Structures are given as C-alpha cells and as structure tokens.
Amino acid sequence: MSSMQGQPIKCKAAVARGVNDLRIEEITVAPPKAGEVRLKVHSNALCHTDIYTLEGSDPEGVFPSILGHEAGAVVESVGEGVTSVKEGDKVIPCYTPQCGEPECIFCNPPRGKRTNLCPKIRGTQGGGVMPDGTSRFTGKDGEEIKHFMGCSTFSEYTVVAEISCAKVNDAAPLHTCSLLGCGVATGLGAVWNTCDIEGGSSVAVFGLGAVGLSVIQGAQMRGAKRIFAIDTNPGKFDMAKELGATDCVNPDDYDKPIQQVLNGELTEWGIDYTFDATGNTEVMRAALESAHRGWGESCVIGVAAAGQEISTRPFQLVTGRKWTGTAFGGFKSRSEVPPLVEDYMNNELKLDHYITHEFKGVEGTLEAIDALHSGDCLRAVVTY
Ligand code: NAD
Ligand code: 022
Ligand code: ZN
Ligand code: ZN
C-alpha cells in the first residue's frame, strides 16, 4: 500500500498563476475522495489548449490552476468505492469521462453507441473543480488552485475522477502512450469513429500538426486510396508522406482559393472525406467546400478561438456535403483508449514519430512551451 495513502502529498507542479505566468512551485495534493484516484504523473505531452489557456485566450480559463491534459500516469492511491483501478496501475487520464452507468444515454447504446460526450461531471470539470465542487490542490499559503479539463497533469501528482481513468497495459511505455491522451487519439478517431471512412476513399487533411498527421495515419490504416496533406508550412510534408500522404499541397503556391484547387483541379468532383486540424474557421470552410459533390463529409477537429463563427453558402450542403465535428475523436475513453495502447505495443500504430522534443522534470514544461512555439514541434514530452 502506498505510504502516503490518505495523506496529503507535497510535490512540484507548474502552476498557472495568471496570463503567461507559469511558475514551478511546491503544492499540496489532498488524498482522493470517494470515486477519485490520485495519480503519480509519469509523462506529459504539451498540447495547444494548455498554451491557449495559459495565454489567457480561453475566456473560461481560471487562475491559479494546474494545466496539462495529455499524459501517462500510475495510480498512487484510490478513494472510497473505487474498484476499476488500483495502486500501481498504469492509466491515461482522459478529459472525456465515461461513467458507463446504465442510465447514461451518452455512454450506452443505442443512441450513445457512437458518442463519447458523457455529461456526468461536465459542469464541475469545466469549473476547474472535482465532482464534489472542491479542489484537491493547495498552494504555499493554503490557497485553492483549480483543476483543468479533469486532468491537471503539469504536476508530479494529480487527482482525477475514476471515470476519467483509462487503465492500460502494465507494460505500456508511458512517455509515448501519453500522446493517446489527446492529439494522436483525436486524429485517429476522427477517421475511424466520427467519419468511419471506407477503404478506397479519398481524404484531405488541413493542418499537419500531431492531430492532422494522425488523421493521415488513421486514413492509411483504413486503406484510403488518396490522401491529400495540406499545410502552409512545407516543412511538415516529409512526415506527412512518411505516415501515408500521397499528395502534399501548400495553399500559398496557388493564386486561387485552395478549395478550388482541390475540388475541380486536383480532383474532378472533390474529396470523399476532409478534416480541419487547424482551428482556423476559413480553413474549415475550405475543407467543407473541398468535399465531394453528392456525398463528401467534412469533419471539424480544430478548436476555433472563442466567439468565431463558420460560414458557407447553403448550396454546398444542398449539393450533398455534410459538416460534422469531433471531440477526442469520438473515443469512449475508458473502453477504447486501452486498445490503442495495445495497437502501439503490437507495432500496428506509430507514436514515436510525433515526439520531436523531450524534456526532464516539471521545470521542463517551461522549455516545452518554448519548443511548441517554434514551427517544427509536433509534440514535446516532459518526463517527471
Ligand atoms: P498544431 O498547431 O501542431 O498544428 C496545426 C497545423 O496547421 C500547423 O502545422 C500549421 O502550420 C497548420 N496551419 C495553420 N494555418 C493553416 C492554414 N491556413 N492552412 C493550412 N495549414 C495551416 O496543432 P495540433 O496539436 O495538431 O492541433 C490541431 C487542432 O486540433 C488545434 O486547433 C487543437 O486545438 C485541435 N484539437 C482538437 C481536439 C478535439 O477533440 N476536437 C483534440 C485535440 C486537438
Ligand atoms: C484538446 N482539445 C483541444 C486541444 N486539446 C479539446 C478542446 C475541447 C474539446 C475537445 C478537445 C471539446 C469538444 C466538445 C467539448 N469539449 C464539450 C464537451 C461537453 O460539452 O460535454 C470540451 C471538453 C472539455 C472541456 C471543455 C470543452 C473542459 O474540461 N474544460 C471535452
Ligand atoms: Zn489536447
Ligand atoms: Zn456517461
């Protein structure tokens, strides 16, 4: 049994004190309450939403808080009534929970078969607190520090809800599998779950960060025939090709809008499935309008800045295009993330390609943020 079971733990964390003010501090992590799990975080990969929130761009962001939501961890201790994980288990904390209760229409078939939007702890998670309405983190002066996206993995220890913990293989290498906590899983799931593409389809992905590249990987694994990789940074094209892209396109090389190039010039009637992995609403429009006349489907993965709106002419929909979107690739976290870890361990899924930078210690989070700002970073993984 963990020697700290039932006791508060003092540890290091990167605390977001205010806009662009991330400080390495000693914090206290309270023991898990009923239905909660305390985790020792092994590795954390930075994702843009953490930076976006730190920069003050998320109007719902709260300070002080502990950011971070793409991680691999080990269970340190569990609260009352927790049965699905135990001390020593490897887990991936997930920002989309899966309560699995028989009465949850989002977790269960028939309507919940293909969604992961379990609302069980949505309100408290969005408010930066645990389901009982309080925080498990306190700072030096005993002041409350808020949680973030139900994960808060910029800390050596964190507390999450049991229903947010995906228990994975005991032999899983956590520093690579951390990527399955957000970016890579999201791109794969957009292809496999949200759009459920058929073999032989044509695919286009806008934005070749970790999310867009995993769309390419997922499409190739499904047997897509032609995969268009689109980015304004041509430095991304080599990796796109390595993961399965057949055509790389830089919109800046053309005078006309990219949708007219993809739909009408490079293809006659458009592309079966298109994905936005940029978060830019103009690109979302271009992705929709690049989709195939009569049946093309376009999936919004990118998260747009607060208050942004999308637009297109209704003609685009009347002529048979569909506009959809995804959260965490539609994966049900606790039941569908562990098989992804198995795929990686069986060499059926690539993860190592996405790790371009590695750092040590919670302090490394600061260096990782700088790396993420440089154009050549896919994922920077910090191992504590
Ligand atoms: P990233 O910043 O690493 O990648 C974005 C890429 O888009 C970059 O390569 C950039 O050069 C390219 N780009 C920018 N403007 C472009 C344009 N006009 N045309 C073509 N390419 C352009 O980001 P990421 O980590 O891969 O994440 C991508 C998006 O997915 C973000 O918006 C992120 O918030 C979102 N996301 C959504 C979910 C979800 O569940 N829906 C989950 C994770 C990430
Ligand atoms: C993760 N994201 C972007 C980069 N990394 C990301 C951001 C938001 C969502 C998904 C991924 C998202 C889509 C839909 C929702 N969220 C709302 C879900 C609901 O209403 O139940 C979302 C999620 C969590 C939080 C906010 C928005 C949060 O915990 N603060 C899943
Ligand atoms: Zn993320
Ligand atoms: Zn549920």
Side-chain angles (χ1 to χ4, degrees):
M1 193 187 289
S2 163
S3 61
M4 296 309 287
Q5 169 144 35
Q7 302 297 315
I9 291 179
K10 284 191 192 299
C11 70
K12 264 191 297 186
V15 181
R17 284 275 157 200
V19 174
N20 288 325
D21 185 7
L22 190 69
R23 297 189 210 165
I24 309 303
E25 297 179 4
E26 186 180 83
I27 60 155
T28 303
V29 184
K33 294 191 185 179
E36 300 176 358
V37 180
R38 188 161 58 185
L39 305 177
K40 183 171 201 310
V41 182
H42 178 281
S43 311
N44 179 80
L46 263 86
C47 175
H48 294 271
T49 288
D50 302 316
I51 313 304
Y52 184 75
T53 307
L54 179 64
E55 289 172 347
S57 307
D58 178 358
E60 286 172 13
V62 282
F63 301 111
S65 58
I66 296 176
L67 306 173
H69 66 280
E70 188 171 314
V74 177
V75 174
E76 179 273 335
S77 63
V78 303
E80 194 190 313
V82 171
T83 53
S84 63
V85 292
K86 58 178 188 311
E87 185 193 337
D89 283 350
K90 287 185 177 172
V91 301
I92 295 182
C94 293
Y95 55 84
T96 55
Q98 182 182 0
C99 79
E101 289 169 12
E103 49 283 357
C104 180
I105 59 169
F106 292 89
C107 282
N108 290 290
R111 308 306 293 263
K113 188 164 186 295
R114 275 274 62 104
T115 183
N116 58 350
L117 292 175
C118 173
K120 178 92 186 182
I121 58 174
R122 176 189 162 182
T124 47
Q125 179 171 315
V129 289
M130 294 303 290
D132 77 339
T134 64
S135 168
R136 300 291 158 269
F137 302 123
T138 44
K140 265 193 297 294
D141 309 321
E143 85 283 16
E144 175 185 82
I145 298 173
K146 290 278 203 288
H147 295 247
F148 176 68
M149 289 182 90
C151 295
S152 291
T153 48
F154 285 3
S155 175
E156 290 172 323
Y157 288 86
T158 188
V159 177
V160 304
E162 176 183 21
I163 62 170
S164 305
C165 272
K167 174 179 154 45
V168 302
N169 193 312
D170 286 335
L174 290 176
H175 88 281
T176 41
C177 289
S178 61
L179 305 197
L180 295 172
C182 185
V184 175
T186 297
L188 296 172
V191 176
W192 296 346
N193 305 325
T194 312
C195 291
D196 192 12
I197 78 161
E198 306 81 22
S201 304
S202 56
V203 168
V205 56
F206 295 75
L208 305 175
V211 174
L213 290 170
S214 61
V215 166
I216 292 174
Q217 188 181 178
Q220 190 195 41
M221 289 171 77
R222 268 286 172 96
K225 184 178 73 215
R226 208 163 166 197
I227 304 175
F228 294 88
I230 300 130
D231 204 298
T232 45
N233 175 357
K236 304 278 181 166
F237 292 156
D238 282 343
M239 184 66 80
K241 285 187 198 136
E242 198 170 325
L243 290 168
T246 57
D247 302 71
C248 292
V249 181
N250 183 348
D252 292 342
D253 292 345
Y254 298 87
D255 292 328
K256 52 182 168 181
I258 192 64
Q259 51 268 54
Q260 288 173 29
V261 174
L262 290 163
N263 190 347
E265 192 172 312
L266 297 176
T267 69
E268 189 178 7
W269 296 110
I271 294 154
D272 298 330
Y273 296 97
T274 68
F275 298 84
D276 166 72
T278 69
N280 176 320
T281 53
E282 283 307 314
V283 175
M284 293 175 192
R285 177 179 192 150
L288 177 81
E289 297 179 358
S290 302
H292 206 288
R293 173 184 164 90
W295 61 73
E297 247 180 87
S298 189
C299 180
V300 174
I301 311 175
V303 175
Q308 294 280 298
E309 295 184 353
I310 48 173
S311 61
T312 190
R313 297 217 174 117
F315 169 82
Q316 296 289 338
L317 303 178
V318 169
T319 46
R321 293 175 189 82
K322 289 187 183 137
W323 219 346
T324 187
T326 194
F328 192 49
F331 281 117
K332 290 186 193 289
S333 51
R334 288 203 289 166
S335 58
E336 297 182 336
V337 169
L340 295 176
V341 169
E342 299 302 317
D343 290 347
Y344 170 66
M345 293 178 73
N346 295 328
N347 292 319
E348 285 158 22
L349 186 67
K350 295 172 184 150
L351 293 178
D352 303 44
H353 290 61
Y354 301 91
I355 303 179
T356 51
H357 297 73
E358 294 180 86
F359 301 99
K360 295 273 334 152
V362 173
E363 303 80 0
T365 306
L366 298 165
E367 297 167 80
I369 290 173
D370 290 340
L372 210 66
H373 280 129
S374 76
D376 60 0
C377 178
L378 294 174
R379 280 298 188 258
V381 177
V382 186
T383 299
Y384 300 155

